[in-house]
């Protein structure tokens, strides 16, 4: 820990215990080490602390730091509702240990960020257990850019179908999930107990059949899902199947070739791709009778629609 980082963290810790009115604290980028993390977490669980949101991005490099954070979460005085541990070496055992504290009746965590950490199977198993518990209040879970796999994620997705699960946002971006996890997500979206509103699958490696399953599940979701991020995935290989899946749900096409031609001519720049795809799915969801459209971010959309609708393909 650098001298400057050390002094900064210890001064902040002292201020917190002195009744400082801070409720949100971000010390990201200050490599605190176990000693600095310990001082900070002791301050956060002090009776004078008002901190409810804590970001420790790129501050912890040892399992000891994960243990310290977990101990603080177990303290009845801890008021934290949001914990950001992005880009830390907490290890799989550390992630599981931190996650296990969410089962405690006094734990208030609703937002947990494990992005760019070295968590794995143990952490996913523990999170899956937590999401099934009535006492759990977790609503936002970020697991992007980790080494988790299909096998790790499937039990977690299964847990999202539990009536006790409160999760509304899940980030699995930049992971190696490819088939079984995405197929399971498709099944989840048609489950009445699913509460997901935001799903990030960007930069994953889905198979053609898993993407088709996901698209086919959208009409069954009753418009609950508001944001689906599938940017930087290779969906062009399954264009025809995807469009066919969408259009066969209705007696008439969701949009005509002429309408799409007009849309494309109006939104040809990169910055308008989101609007283009949003318009496309808005029409689709209106046909499905959904109360709200899905918002999809996909950088491949312009090429996709050109390829299928403007190059002589039929639907």
């Amino acid at each position: 820990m650098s001298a400057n980082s050390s002094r900064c963290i210890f001064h902040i810790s002292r201020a917190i215990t002195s009744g400082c009115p801070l409720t949100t604290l971000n010390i990201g980028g200050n490599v605190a080490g176990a000693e600095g993390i310990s001082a900070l977490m002791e301050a956060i669980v002090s009776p004078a602390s008002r901190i409810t949101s804590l970001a420790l991005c790129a501050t912890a490099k040892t399992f000891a730091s994960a243990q310290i954070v977990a101990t603080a979460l177990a303290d009845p005085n801890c008021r934290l509702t949001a914990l950001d541990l992005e880009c830390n070496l907490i290890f799989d055992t550390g992630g599981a240990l931190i996650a296990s504290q969410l089962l405690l009746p006094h734990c208030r965590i609703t937002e947990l960020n494990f992005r760019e950490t070295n968590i794995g199977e143990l952490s996913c198993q523990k999170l899956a257990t937590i999401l099934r518990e009535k006492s759990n209040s977790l609503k936002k879970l970020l697991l992007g850019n980790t080494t988790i796999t299909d096998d790790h994620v499937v039990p977690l997705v299964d847990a999202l179908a539990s009536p006790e699960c409160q999760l509304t946002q899940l980030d699995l971006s930049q992971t190696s999930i490819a088939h079984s996890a995405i197929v399971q997500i498709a099944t989840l979206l048609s489950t009445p107990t699913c509460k997901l509103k935001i799903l990030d699958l960007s930069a994953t490696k889905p198979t053609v059949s898993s993407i088709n399953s996901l698209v086919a599940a959208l009409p069954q979701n009753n418009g609950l899902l508001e944001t689906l991020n599938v940017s930087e995935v290779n969906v062009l290989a399954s264009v025809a199947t995807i469009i066919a899946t969408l259009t066969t749900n209705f007696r008439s096409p969701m949009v005509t070739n002429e309408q799409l031609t007009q849309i494309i001519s109006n939104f040809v720049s990169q910055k308008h791709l989101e609007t283009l795809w949003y318009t496309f799915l808005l029409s689709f969801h209106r046909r499905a009778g959904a109360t709200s459209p899905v918002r999809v971010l996909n950088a491949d959309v312009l090429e996709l629609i050109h390829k299928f609708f403007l190059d002589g393909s039929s639907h």
Side-chain angles (χ1 to χ4, degrees), residues 121-168:
E121 184 176 11
L122 287 176
S123 299
C124 287
Q125 288 176 345
K126 182 59 67 175
L127 288 165
T129 299
I130 290 164
L131 292 174
R132 295 180 184 275
E133 293 296 324
K134 189 174 183 178
S135 59
N136 119 81
S137 56
L138 195 61
K139 293 185 177 181
K140 179 178 179 179
L141 180 60
L142 309 183
L143 304 175
N145 203 10
T146 59
T147 57
I148 57 177
T149 65
D150 273 336
D151 290 341
H152 301 158
V153 172
V154 167
L156 184 66
V157 175
D158 281 342
L160 267 63
S162 168
E164 310 299 344
C165 181
Q166 303 300 314
L167 206 70
T168 59

Side-chain angles (χ1 to χ4, degrees), residues 192-264:
T193 50
C194 173
K195 300 178 180 67
L196 271 187
K197 293 184 178 181
I198 302 173
L199 176 61
D200 190 346
L201 299 175
S202 60
T204 53
K205 302 174 182 178
T207 61
V208 170
S209 59
S210 67
I211 279 289
N212 293 341
S213 297
L214 186 65
V215 172
L218 293 178
Q220 311 302 320
N221 185 244
N222 296 320
L224 181 63
L225 192 68
E226 296 174 352
T227 301
L228 173 61
N229 188 345
V230 288
S231 61
E232 298 181 60
V233 300
N234 182 22
V235 297
L236 292 182
S238 58
V239 169
T241 307
I242 290 174
I243 300 300
T245 301
L246 294 177
T247 56
T248 53
N249 284 288
F250 321 106
R251 293 182 178 179
S252 58
M254 53 187 142
V255 278
T256 65
N257 285 351
E258 292 75 16
Q259 287 173 320
L260 276 173
T261 302
Q262 185 60 47
I263 291 170
I264 290 171

Side-chain angles (χ1 to χ4, degrees), residues 5-22:
S5 293
S6 175
R7 282 193 297 271
C8 175
I9 290 170
F10 281 104
H11 283 315
I12 290 173
S13 301
R14 192 175 300 114
I16 291 172
T17 57
S18 299
C20 174
L22 280 178

Side-chain angles (χ1 to χ4, degrees), residues 83-119:
L83 179 60
D84 181 352
L85 294 170
E86 184 170 349
C87 202
N88 283 305
L89 296 177
I90 59 175
F91 301 94
D92 196 19
T93 49
L97 181 61
I98 290 170
S100 66
Q101 308 311 311
L102 275 61
L103 288 173
L104 297 174
H106 60 264
C107 185
R108 308 176 189 180
I109 294 293
T110 60
E111 300 181 14
L112 182 61
N113 185 355
F114 275 160
R115 278 188 58 84
E116 294 187 57
T117 60
N118 50 347
I119 62 166

Side-chain angles (χ1 to χ4, degrees), residues 293-306:
V294 173
R295 186 180 181 84
V296 176
L297 317 177
N298 193 332
D300 294 325
V301 168
L302 185 60
E303 183 179 353
L304 183 155
I305 294 180
H306 267 295

